[in-house]
Coordinates of all heavy atoms in Angstrom, one line a residue:
C1 N 4.1 -16.6 0.1 CA 4.4 -16.0 -1.3 C 5.8 -15.6 -1.5 O 6.2 -15.2 -2.6 CB 3.4 -15.0 -1.5 SG 1.7 -15.6 -1.5
Q2 N 6.7 -15.5 -0.4 CA 7.9 -14.7 -0.5 C 8.9 -15.3 -1.6 O 9.5 -14.6 -2.3 CB 8.7 -14.7 0.8 CG 9.8 -13.8 0.9 CD 9.4 -12.3 0.8 OE1 9.2 -11.7 -0.2 NE2 9.2 -11.6 2.1
K3 N 9.0 -16.7 -1.6 CA 10.1 -17.2 -2.6 C 9.6 -16.9 -4.0 O 10.4 -16.4 -4.9 CB 10.1 -18.8 -2.4 CG 11.0 -19.4 -3.2 CD 11.2 -20.9 -2.9 CE 12.2 -21.6 -3.9 NZ 12.2 -23.1 -3.5
Q4 N 8.3 -17.2 -4.3 CA 7.7 -16.9 -5.7 C 7.8 -15.4 -6.1 O 8.1 -15.1 -7.2 CB 6.4 -17.4 -5.8 CG 5.9 -17.5 -7.2 CD 6.7 -18.4 -8.1 OE1 7.0 -19.6 -7.8 NE2 7.0 -18.0 -9.3
F5 N 7.6 -14.7 -5.0 CA 7.5 -13.2 -5.3 C 8.8 -12.8 -5.7 O 9.1 -11.9 -6.6 CB 7.1 -12.4 -4.0 CG 6.8 -10.9 -4.2 CD1 5.5 -10.5 -4.7 CD2 7.7 -10.1 -3.9 CE1 5.2 -9.2 -4.9 CE2 7.5 -8.6 -4.1 CZ 6.3 -8.3 -4.5
I6 N 9.9 -13.2 -5.0 CA 11.4 -12.8 -5.3 C 11.8 -13.3 -6.7 O 12.5 -12.6 -7.5 CB 12.3 -13.5 -4.3 CG1 12.1 -12.8 -2.9 CG2 13.8 -13.1 -4.6 CD1 12.8 -13.3 -1.7
E7 N 11.4 -14.6 -7.0 CA 11.8 -15.1 -8.3 C 11.0 -14.4 -9.4 O 11.6 -14.1 -10.5 CB 11.3 -16.5 -8.4 CG 12.1 -17.5 -7.5 CD 11.6 -18.9 -7.5 OE1 10.5 -19.2 -8.3 OE2 12.2 -19.9 -6.9
N8 N 9.9 -13.9 -9.1 CA 9.0 -13.0 -10.2 C 9.5 -11.8 -10.4 O 9.6 -11.2 -11.4 CB 7.5 -13.1 -9.9 CG 6.9 -14.5 -10.0 OD1 7.5 -15.4 -10.6 ND2 5.8 -14.6 -9.5
H9 N 10.0 -11.0 -9.2 CA 10.1 -9.6 -9.3 C 11.5 -9.2 -8.8 O 11.9 -8.0 -9.0 CB 9.1 -8.9 -8.4 CG 7.6 -9.3 -8.8 ND1 7.1 -9.0 -10.0 CD2 6.7 -10.0 -8.2 CE1 5.9 -9.4 -10.0 NE2 5.7 -9.9 -8.9
G10 N 12.2 -10.1 -8.2 CA 13.7 -9.6 -7.9 C 13.8 -8.8 -6.4 O 14.7 -8.3 -6.2
V11 N 12.6 -8.6 -5.8 CA 12.6 -7.9 -4.6 C 11.7 -8.8 -3.6 O 10.9 -9.6 -4.0 CB 12.1 -6.5 -4.8 CG1 13.0 -5.6 -5.6 CG2 10.7 -6.5 -5.4
K12 N 11.9 -8.4 -2.3 CA 11.1 -9.1 -1.3 C 9.7 -8.4 -1.2 O 9.6 -7.2 -1.4 CB 11.8 -9.1 0.0 CG 13.0 -10.0 0.1 CD 13.7 -10.0 1.5 CE 14.7 -11.1 1.6 NZ 15.2 -11.0 3.0
L13 N 8.8 -9.1 -0.8 CA 7.5 -8.5 -0.4 C 7.7 -8.1 1.1 O 7.7 -8.9 2.1 CB 6.4 -9.6 -0.5 CG 5.0 -9.2 -0.1 CD1 4.4 -8.0 -0.9 CD2 4.0 -10.3 0.0
G14 N 7.6 -6.8 1.3 CA 7.7 -6.2 2.6 C 6.4 -5.8 3.4 O 5.4 -5.8 2.6
Y15 N 6.4 -5.5 4.4 CA 5.2 -5.0 5.2 C 4.8 -3.5 4.7 O 3.6 -3.4 4.5 CB 5.5 -4.8 6.6 CG 5.7 -6.2 7.3 CD1 6.9 -6.6 8.0 CD2 4.5 -7.1 7.4 CE1 7.0 -7.7 8.6 CE2 4.7 -8.3 8.1 CZ 5.9 -8.6 8.6 OH 6.0 -9.7 9.3
M16 N 5.7 -2.7 4.2 CA 5.3 -1.5 3.8 C 4.4 -1.4 2.6 O 3.5 -0.6 2.5 CB 6.6 -0.6 3.6 CG 6.3 0.9 3.3 SD 5.4 1.7 4.6 CE 6.7 2.0 5.8
S17 N 4.8 -2.3 1.6 CA 3.9 -2.2 0.5 C 2.4 -2.7 0.8 O 1.4 -2.1 0.2 CB 4.3 -3.3 -0.7 OG 4.4 -4.4 -0.3
L18 N 2.2 -3.5 1.7 CA 1.0 -4.1 2.1 C 0.3 -3.0 2.9 O -0.9 -2.8 2.7 CB 1.2 -5.2 3.2 CG 1.7 -6.7 2.4 CD1 2.3 -7.6 3.4 CD2 0.6 -7.2 1.6
F19 N 0.9 -2.2 3.7 CA 0.2 -1.1 4.3 C 0.0 0.0 3.4 O -1.1 0.7 3.6 CB 1.1 -0.6 5.5 CG 0.9 -1.3 6.9 CD1 1.6 -2.5 7.2 CD2 -0.1 -0.9 7.7 CE1 1.3 -3.1 8.3 CE2 -0.4 -1.7 8.8 CZ 0.3 -2.8 9.2
V20 N 0.8 0.3 2.4 CA 0.4 1.2 1.5 C -0.9 1.0 0.7 O -1.8 1.8 0.6 CB 1.5 1.4 0.4 CG1 1.0 2.2 -0.9 CG2 2.9 1.9 0.9
K21 N -1.0 -0.3 0.4 CA -2.3 -0.8 -0.2 C -3.4 -0.7 0.8 O -4.6 -0.5 0.4 CB -2.1 -2.3 -0.6 CG -1.3 -2.3 -1.9 CD -2.1 -1.8 -3.1 CE -1.4 -2.2 -4.5 NZ -2.2 -1.6 -5.7
A22 N -3.2 -1.0 2.1 CA -4.1 -1.0 3.1 C -4.6 0.5 3.2 O -5.9 0.9 3.3 CB -3.7 -1.4 4.4
V23 N -3.7 1.5 3.2 CA -4.0 2.9 3.2 C -4.8 3.4 2.0 O -5.7 4.2 2.1 CB -2.7 3.8 3.4 CG1 -2.9 5.2 3.0 CG2 -2.1 3.7 4.8
V24 N -4.4 2.9 0.8 CA -5.2 3.2 -0.4 C -6.6 2.8 -0.3 O -7.5 3.4 -0.6 CB -4.5 2.5 -1.6 CG1 -5.4 2.6 -2.8 CG2 -3.2 3.2 -1.9
H25 N -6.8 1.6 0.3 CA -8.2 1.1 0.5 C -8.8 1.9 1.5 O -10.1 2.3 1.2 CB -8.1 -0.4 1.0 CG -9.3 -0.8 1.7 ND1 -10.4 -1.3 0.9 CD2 -9.6 -1.1 2.9 CE1 -11.4 -1.6 1.7 NE2 -11.0 -1.6 3.0
A26 N -8.2 2.3 2.5 CA -8.9 3.2 3.6 C -9.2 4.6 3.0 O -10.2 5.2 3.4 CB -8.0 3.2 4.8
L27 N -8.4 5.1 2.1 CA -8.6 6.5 1.6 C -9.8 6.4 0.7 O -10.6 7.4 0.5 CB -7.3 6.9 0.9 CG -6.1 7.4 1.7 CD1 -4.9 7.7 0.7 CD2 -6.4 8.4 2.7
K28 N -10.0 5.3 0.0 CA -11.3 5.2 -0.9 C -12.5 5.2 0.1 O -13.5 5.6 -0.2 CB -11.2 3.9 -1.7 CG -10.1 4.0 -2.8 CD -10.0 2.8 -3.6 CE -8.9 2.9 -4.7 NZ -8.8 1.7 -5.6
T29 N -12.3 4.5 1.2 CA -13.5 4.4 2.2 C -13.8 5.7 2.7 O -15.0 6.0 3.0 CB -13.0 3.4 3.3 OG1 -12.7 2.1 2.6 CG2 -14.2 3.0 4.2
V30 N -12.7 6.5 3.1 CA -12.9 7.8 3.6 C -12.1 8.9 3.0 O -11.0 9.2 3.3 CB -12.5 7.9 5.3 CG1 -12.8 9.0 5.9 CG2 -13.0 6.6 6.0
P31 N -12.6 9.4 1.9 CA -11.9 10.3 1.0 C -11.5 11.6 1.7 O -10.5 12.3 1.3 CB -13.0 10.5 -0.1 CG -13.9 9.3 -0.1 CD -14.1 9.0 1.3
N32 N -12.2 12.0 2.7 CA -11.8 13.3 3.3 C -10.4 13.2 3.9 O -9.9 14.3 4.3 CB -12.9 13.6 4.5 CG -13.1 15.1 4.5 OD1 -13.1 15.7 3.5 ND2 -13.5 15.5 5.6
V33 N -9.9 12.0 4.2 CA -8.6 11.9 4.8 C -7.6 12.3 3.8 O -6.4 12.7 4.2 CB -8.3 10.4 5.3 CG1 -6.9 10.4 6.0 CG2 -9.3 10.2 6.5
N34 N -7.9 12.1 2.5 CA -7.0 12.3 1.3 C -7.2 13.8 0.9 O -7.6 14.1 -0.3 CB -7.2 11.3 0.2 CG -6.1 11.3 -0.8 OD1 -4.9 11.3 -0.3 ND2 -6.4 11.3 -1.9
A35 N -7.1 14.7 1.8 CA -7.4 16.2 1.5 C -6.5 17.1 2.4 O -5.8 16.7 3.3 CB -8.9 16.4 1.8
S36 N -6.6 18.3 2.0 CA -5.8 19.4 2.8 C -6.6 20.6 2.8 O -7.6 20.8 2.0 CB -4.5 19.6 2.2 OG -4.7 20.1 0.8
I37 N -6.1 21.5 3.6 CA -6.8 22.8 3.8 C -5.9 23.9 3.1 O -4.7 24.0 3.3 CB -7.0 23.3 5.2 CG1 -8.0 22.3 5.9 CG2 -7.4 24.6 5.4 CD1 -8.3 22.6 7.3
D38 N -6.5 24.7 2.4 CA -5.8 25.9 1.6 C -6.6 27.1 2.0 O -7.6 27.5 1.3 CB -5.6 25.7 0.2 CG -4.9 26.9 -0.4 OD1 -4.1 27.5 0.3 OD2 -5.0 26.8 -1.7
G39 N -6.3 27.8 3.0 CA -7.1 29.0 3.3 C -8.4 28.7 3.9 O -8.4 27.9 4.9
N40 N -9.5 29.1 3.4 CA -10.8 28.7 3.7 C -11.4 27.6 2.9 O -12.5 27.2 2.9 CB -11.7 29.9 3.6 CG -11.4 31.0 4.6 OD1 -11.0 30.6 5.8 ND2 -11.5 32.1 4.3

């Protein structure tokens, strides 16, 4: 997809955007990871 992706968007498809999407998917699977502690 790289050639078409560059023609369409002017940037390369990198690994980081794919892992960002993978993390978004995983956070929906385990919502508790997308959290923080504030006092108690």
Side-chain angles (χ1 to χ4, degrees):
C1 301
Q2 192 68 274
K3 182 178 179 181
Q4 189 63 46
F5 191 87
I6 294 173
E7 290 178 358
N8 291 345
H9 306 292
V11 293
K12 288 185 177 181
L13 175 63
Y15 289 115
M16 186 58 77
S17 64
L18 292 161
F19 272 92
V20 168
K21 284 292 188 180
V23 163
V24 168
H25 165 73
L27 289 175
K28 292 179 180 178
T29 305
V30 190
N32 216 31
V33 179
N34 199 42
S36 64
I37 292 179
D38 183 17
N40 293 323

